[in-house]
Amino acid sequence: ANKDKRIIIDSHANIGMGESLNKALKSTIFDLIIRMDADDIMHDNRIEKQLNFMKNNTDITVASCLAYYINENNRKIGRTFSDLKSINDAKKYYKNNDPIGILHPGVIFRKKDIMDIGGYRSQFWPAEDIDLWNRLLENGKNIVVMQEFLMRYRIHGDSIITSKFKQSRLK
């Protein structure tokens, strides 16, 4: 953020993930939004690669990426995988009524499309992102996962993915 004024760090009191993300969306003037969590690390070329991807794929609303899992000491402990390599892959999930789960801190998306369907819905915490992706598909929007490792995603005992995984799947 110090190097590039287009990068906005939104820090405020805890109002919940969904409301925090909606607040951030309302405060930005940009069409393409790249999000991540404070404890994750993006590779130096993430922004450039994702911006170029979205500029070259105007039919895509959301694109995520792959990530290496890291622990609290920044040591690699695994990696993500996604079979959502094409628009049709996501449509198959939707057709089969399977929830779309992608790396939320690794997404770039078109703000207008998110706002047009009402943004994040807090009542689906801790799965607001899964709800959002599925509503986008319901509304004819497209989602893919770039098959590139552009992030390091932190896993620890207090992270939402580890502490709320079962609750998220049930939602």
Side-chain angles (χ1 to χ4, degrees):
N2 290 334
K3 295 178 184 176
D4 189 331
K5 296 303 175 198
R6 296 173 295 179
I7 297 171
I8 300 167
I9 297 173
D10 183 16
S11 184
H12 55 270
N14 186 354
I15 56 175
M17 177 69 87
E19 290 308 312
S20 292
L21 293 169
N22 287 333
K23 179 181 178 291
L25 285 173
K26 289 174 187 168
S27 71
T28 184
I29 60 171
F30 302 107
D31 176 51
L32 289 171
I33 307 296
I34 295 174
R35 78 160 300 278
M36 67 180 283
D37 296 326
D39 61 346
D40 299 326
I41 301 167
M42 78 169 103
H43 294 185
D44 290 341
N45 60 352
R46 176 190 171 196
I47 292 174
E48 177 185 7
K49 286 194 173 234
Q50 287 189 308
L51 284 173
N52 286 335
F53 181 84
M54 294 299 276
K55 287 177 185 173
N56 292 323
N57 295 279
T58 57
D59 56 338
I60 303 291
T61 291
V62 178
S64 190
C65 63
L66 300 175
Y68 293 105
Y69 292 122
I70 57 172
N71 65 14
E72 55 276 348
N73 299 317
N74 293 332
R75 191 174 140 262
K76 286 182 188 176
I77 56 174
R79 61 184 179 166
T80 63
F81 165 83
S82 179
D83 59 353
L84 300 175
K85 300 174 184 180
S86 73
I87 291 170
N88 287 332
D89 293 331
K91 287 182 179 180
K92 284 180 201 170
Y93 270 73
Y94 178 71
K95 181 181 174 189
N96 293 330
N97 202 29
D98 290 328
I100 299 287
I102 60 176
L103 181 68
H104 192 206
V107 298
I108 181 171
F109 56 74
R110 298 185 194 285
K111 175 185 171 181
K112 181 184 182 324
D113 292 341
I114 304 300
M115 300 307 281
D116 284 350
I117 64 165
Y120 292 88
R121 297 192 297 190
S122 294
Q123 66 266 35
F124 286 93
W125 187 89
E128 304 103 324
D129 56 331
I130 295 169
D131 169 63
L132 181 65
W133 314 144
N134 287 278
R135 284 187 295 124
L136 285 166
L137 289 172
E138 214 170 67
N139 285 276
K141 303 304 179 190
N142 296 313
I143 299 171
V144 298
V145 175
M146 299 169 64
Q147 299 298 299
E148 294 186 67
F149 290 89
L150 300 176
M151 295 212 36
R152 288 178 282 170
Y153 182 60
R154 193 169 311 279
I155 299 288
H156 51 81
D158 295 329
S159 63
I160 297 299
I161 195 167
T162 54
S163 64
K164 302 290 184 191
F165 181 78
K166 184 176 179 184
Q167 185 179 355
S168 178
R169 290 297 292 171
L170 290 173
K171 289 262 182 171

